[in-house]
Amino acid sequence: QVQLVESGGGLVQAGGSLRLSCAASGRTLSIYVMAWFRQAPGKEREFVAGINWSGGSTDYADSVKGRFTISRDNAKNTVYLQMNSSKPEDTAVYYCASRRIIILKRAYEYAYWGQGTQVIVSS
């Protein structure tokens, strides 16, 4: 079992930056793929970014490439999402998720989820 708790959400102006954190507990973090998803009102949950156990492999949604950066610190059992050049369309609840082995992009393929943190980007 893996428990995930997100933090760092809030209100940011368009063009601004925000850093989300996801603290994990339970099974050893280093053996899990970690990912960020987001869900805006009335929309499906979508993949944002993922990172493998070593941090050597990452993947991003086209909509955030070049603006967001995912990273992890296995010593701290924490995964981060650095959001730069934020846009109003980035407004959503952001969720941290975990699974084994490889980065995948469908929400149903992730077994463990946090409770989410709200991000609002004002124009």
Side-chain angles (χ1 to χ4, degrees):
Q1 290 289 340
V2 175
Q3 293 78 44
L4 305 173
V5 178
E6 303 95 334
S7 61
L11 176 65
V12 62
Q13 288 189 332
S17 298
L18 205 60
R19 190 175 81 157
L20 306 183
S21 299
C22 173
S25 61
R27 297 289 298 273
T28 305
L29 178 65
S30 62
I31 66 174
Y32 286 91
V33 163
M34 303 297 296
W36 288 95
F37 285 76
R38 66 187 181 186
Q39 188 166 20
K43 294 188 177 181
E44 293 186 354
R45 194 168 296 189
E46 63 174 358
F47 175 83
V48 175
I51 188 167
N52 74 336
W53 70 273
S54 69
S57 178
T58 58
D59 199 0
Y60 295 91
D62 288 342
S63 59
V64 306
K65 278 181 183 177
R67 300 189 299 119
F68 292 8
T69 302
I70 188 171
S71 61
R72 67 191 296 166
D73 184 339
N74 288 345
K76 295 182 178 179
N77 288 344
T78 302
V79 175
Y80 306 97
L81 184 69
Q82 179 67 43
M83 303 170 59
N84 295 333
S85 303
S86 297
K87 301 177 180 180
E89 50 263 46
D90 295 325
T91 294
V93 177
Y94 282 72
Y95 296 91
C96 180
S98 178
R99 71 180 311 280
R100 294 183 68 89
I101 313 297
I102 61 173
I103 302 169
L104 297 174
K105 297 186 177 181
R106 297 180 181 85
Y108 70 83
E109 292 167 318
Y110 285 75
Y112 305 107
W113 291 86
Q115 83 290 348
T117 186
Q118 177 74 57
V119 172
I120 299 174
V121 182
S122 63
S123 56

